[in-house]
């Protein structure tokens, strides 16, 4: 199994541009999570899906952020417009058996200049 | 609400010395507890986890952790540190409801002296 695959690994964009981060969960996993890691706030949960349905988006910082999961094998996290304070590492994780089977991707390092 | 506290921001140990990283949690029920390690520029790798049963759990890379309910702690230990252990370590508590969310501590950065 290839694990959770995130793309791109690094993204540098200018303030105001739209940014799309992508995640392919492990096949068969029915939970998908988006986390953000910053120096100031550490690792925080942004949103999670169960069977492609968003369950809890209370961690999404503001309306500029949106996430979708159109099918069981793909999810996107979009920021529009991007701001320098969005610079962070964004992790995707998926799970089949709840907490016992939690797997993280390698992350996307986003830099907004 | 669940929370995780890692009181040490940085810890420096000499190679070959023993290590203990502290983690305290707040959770109303029996928690699911985890330790992850993150090397610079890398993702999160699971070291070990506790769900139930034996309170001393063994993980990868020679790490172990002990769950102490009375102290609400889940400290990570290693008897002899290697230079390659230098990294950031995160303790996390998992919601035992249907959400499977993880709440992370702020992390402890381990530095290893030659």
């Amino acid at each position: 199994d290839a694990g959770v695959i995130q793309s791109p690994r690094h993204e540098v964009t200018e303030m105001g541009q739209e940014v799309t981060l992508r995640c392919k969960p492990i096949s068969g996993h029915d939970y998908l999570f988006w986390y953000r890691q910053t120096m100031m706030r550490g690792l925080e949960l942004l949103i999670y899906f169960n069977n492609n349905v968003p369950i809890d988006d209370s961690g999404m910082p503001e309306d500029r952020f949106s996430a979708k999961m159109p099918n069981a094998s793909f999810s996107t996290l979009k920021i529009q417009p991007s701001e320098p304070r969005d610079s962070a590492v964004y992790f995707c994780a998926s799970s089949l058996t709840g907490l016992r089977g939690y797997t993280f991707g390698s992350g996307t390092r986003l830099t907004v200049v | 609400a669940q929370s995780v506290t890692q009181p040490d921001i940085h810890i420096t140990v000499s190679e070959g010395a023993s290590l203990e990283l502290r983690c305290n949690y707040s959770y109303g029920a029996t928690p699911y507890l985890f330790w992850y390690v993150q090397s610079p520029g890398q993702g999160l790798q699971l070291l070990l986890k506790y769900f139930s049963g034996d309170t001393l759990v063994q993980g990868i890379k020679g790490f172990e952790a002990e769950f102490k309910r009375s102290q609400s702690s889940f400290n990570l230990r290693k008897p002899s540190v290697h230079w390659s252990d230098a990294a950031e370590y995160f303790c996390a508590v998992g919601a035992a409801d249907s959400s499977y969310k993880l709440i992370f501590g702020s992390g402890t950065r381990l530095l290893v002296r030659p």
Side-chain angles (χ1 to χ4, degrees):
Chain A
D1 196 325
V4 176
I5 300 172
Q6 292 188 246
S7 63
R9 287 298 307 275
H10 303 273
E11 177 80 45
V12 180
T13 191
E14 292 185 347
M15 182 174 62
Q17 296 297 306
E18 177 180 294
V19 175
T20 299
L21 312 181
R22 297 172 175 79
C23 175
K24 177 179 169 55
I26 292 174
S27 177
H29 282 196
D30 55 356
Y31 280 85
L32 184 138
F33 305 83
W34 282 100
Y35 286 84
R36 180 173 68 173
Q37 184 179 35
T38 62
M39 290 293 292
M40 293 300 296
R41 300 175 66 88
L43 276 155
E44 53 183 345
L45 178 67
L46 299 178
I47 185 171
Y48 77 94
F49 297 82
N50 178 217
N51 292 322
N52 313 337
V53 176
I55 303 301
D56 183 352
D57 65 354
S58 60
M60 296 285 262
E62 48 197 277
D63 292 345
R64 297 184 297 106
F65 286 69
S66 62
K68 294 182 180 179
M69 193 165 185
N71 57 62
S73 59
F74 184 65
S75 177
T76 60
L77 178 67
K78 186 176 294 186
I79 308 173
Q80 166 64 20
S82 58
E83 297 182 3
R85 59 193 168 114
D86 302 329
S87 297
V89 181
Y90 292 81
F91 288 102
C92 175
S94 70
S95 172
L96 171 62
T97 55
L99 296 170
R100 294 175 185 268
Y102 222 98
T103 305
F104 280 87
S106 299
T108 295
R109 180 174 296 276
L110 173 66
T111 304
V112 183
V113 298
Chain B
Q2 299 157 264
S3 67
V4 179
T5 302
Q6 293 181 248
D8 304 307
I9 297 174
H10 296 99
I11 283 187
T12 301
V13 299
S14 297
E15 190 168 15
S18 63
L19 170 70
E20 182 169 29
L21 303 183
R22 296 184 290 166
C23 173
N24 292 96
Y25 66 89
S26 173
Y27 188 60
T30 299
Y32 293 174
L33 295 163
F34 304 80
W35 276 99
Y36 284 87
V37 61
Q38 185 180 32
S39 298
Q42 301 298 311
L44 294 160
Q45 182 181 22
L46 179 66
L47 284 176
L48 47 78
K49 57 193 175 188
Y50 171 79
F51 294 108
S52 64
D54 192 346
T55 57
L56 183 64
V57 293
Q58 303 297 320
I60 63 172
K61 304 184 179 186
F63 285 92
E64 68 178 26
E66 186 171 12
F67 170 55
K68 293 186 177 180
R69 185 187 301 276
S70 62
Q71 298 176 21
S72 297
S73 69
F74 188 57
N75 294 348
L76 182 71
R77 300 193 294 248
K78 186 170 185 177
S80 178
V81 170
H82 188 264
W83 65 266
S84 60
D85 294 324
E88 188 144 22
Y89 292 79
F90 293 92
C91 182
V93 61
D97 56 19
S98 60
S99 71
Y100 309 135
K101 296 186 290 187
L102 285 178
I103 308 298
F104 285 89
S106 54
T108 297
R109 183 167 297 280
L110 173 65
L111 305 174
V112 181
R113 282 193 297 255

